Amino acid sequence: MRNTDYTDFQRRITQIFLSAVICIFYLRSSAFTENKVITDVKKWEYIETEHFKIYHYPECKELLPVISEILEETFNNTTRFYEYRPSKKLLFFIYRNHNEFEQTNIVDVGEGTGGVTEAFKNRFIVYNDGSVRWLRNVIPHEFAHVMQFTVLYEESPLLKALRLTRGIFIPLWMMEGMAEYNTADIDATTREMVIRDMVSNKNVISLKNLSTFNHLKPHQITPAYKLSETAYHFLVDEYGPDKPQKILKVLRDKLDTTAAFTDTLNITPGLFMKKWEEWLYEKYNDKITGFKEA
């Protein structure tokens, strides 16, 4: 084929591929919506802050001052750290409780889900469990995902769809570790307890086995999140506080994990994982010295 014919051929194939991706997404969304059991239909209201549209049920109005404060504080801290600011106001949804949260038609939500970020429109949703501590934990976590999707995919709709299909190959420990790190130690007690226990029993899950969490047993999910978070503590402690945002930007440009590490840290992902595990055992073995087993 001539170059011009080949370019046209590529363009047609790309359009067909993207159309198929979008159709599958909306078909799944439609099927989910039709099968979702809604026990109490309410009308959404919203308020606007400097950087957010906050959607809520009328019964949630008393939460809005606290939520607005946490959202704006999270926005300022996170965008400053990652040196990137979304160009549009972000959509945030708050549910009164988990029962109503499970009825959302934005994404599929299970019993163990605390918050979700929807990549196509950068909407993120959480529920209120009755404590400010919970909101200060889950909102920064989900906002980190908003930042990830914004940095990685905020371009034309077609390019965004293409990058989303490629972006599934970014290891989950990188995505969730970054989100947990963004909670600023609000859940440090749980993390320290879980990691100490794993180090003591020598059953730390290697990062290479955390590219996805689908194979994990239920009791391994929380340790997977906490281990992923420690990888970012190691990254910052060992290589500097500018490295998480640099890795994210290389992922944006190349969508390649190996390039993200070699370009930023001058080491392979495998060597990073090995160094992290050595650091983890060295750090926590000191902490558990003299402890008795439960």
Side-chain angles (χ1 to χ4, degrees), residues 221-262:
I221 298 298
T222 294
Y225 275 86
K226 301 308 178 185
L227 285 170
S228 300
E229 178 187 356
T230 64
Y232 279 84
H233 286 282
F234 168 66
L235 175 64
V236 170
D237 291 350
E238 187 74 12
Y239 298 98
D242 61 325
K243 295 305 185 289
Q245 59 266 40
K246 288 186 176 180
I247 284 178
L248 186 60
K249 289 172 183 175
V250 175
L251 283 172
R252 174 196 63 195
D253 297 335
K254 299 184 178 181
L255 279 179
D256 181 84
T257 305
T258 299
F261 283 90
T262 55

Side-chain angles (χ1 to χ4, degrees), residues 59-213:
E59 298 88 343
C60 291
K61 283 185 176 179
E62 69 276 6
L63 295 174
L64 297 180
V66 173
I67 289 173
S68 299
E69 179 184 347
I70 295 173
L71 281 170
E72 289 297 334
E73 178 183 326
T74 298
F75 181 94
N76 291 327
N77 291 340
T78 308
T79 56
R80 187 184 308 117
F81 182 77
Y82 286 100
E83 300 176 348
Y84 194 93
R85 296 171 73 87
S87 58
K88 301 176 182 178
K89 284 194 175 184
L90 302 166
L91 308 182
F92 173 80
F93 293 76
I94 179 69
Y95 286 85
R96 286 190 306 171
N97 52 56
H98 206 283
N99 286 337
E100 292 180 353
F101 178 59
E102 289 184 56
Q103 296 177 44
T104 181
N105 281 330
I106 296 175
V107 290
D108 196 1
V109 170
E111 292 182 0
T113 306
V116 181
T117 302
E118 186 269 311
F120 272 88
K121 295 183 179 179
N122 273 6
R123 299 177 291 184
F124 63 121
I125 63 176
V126 306
Y127 73 94
N128 174 43
D129 80 341
S131 72
V132 174
R133 180 182 178 82
W134 163 251
L135 295 173
R136 289 195 176 278
N137 187 349
V138 70
I139 288 176
H141 180 105
E142 295 305 325
F143 185 75
H145 289 314
V146 173
M147 284 294 296
Q148 291 166 343
F149 295 142
T150 302
V151 173
L152 293 172
Y153 310 124
E154 188 178 58
E155 305 211 26
S156 69
L158 289 179
L159 183 57
K160 181 174 185 175
L162 179 60
R163 284 189 166 186
L164 278 168
T165 61
R166 292 180 63 196
I168 60 175
F169 298 110
I170 298 174
L172 192 57
W173 73 260
M174 294 184 68
M175 303 295 279
E176 295 300 344
M178 186 181 296
E180 285 291 285
Y181 184 80
N182 203 49
T183 63
D185 278 350
I186 192 72
D187 200 27
T189 302
T190 300
R191 182 192 68 229
E192 294 298 289
M193 176 184 67
V194 169
I195 302 300
R196 284 197 304 264
D197 183 72
M198 298 189 79
V199 169
S200 175
N201 290 288
K202 294 182 173 54
N203 61 358
V204 170
I205 306 171
S206 173
L207 293 178
K208 67 182 180 182
N209 294 325
L210 294 178
S211 293
T212 176
F213 294 174

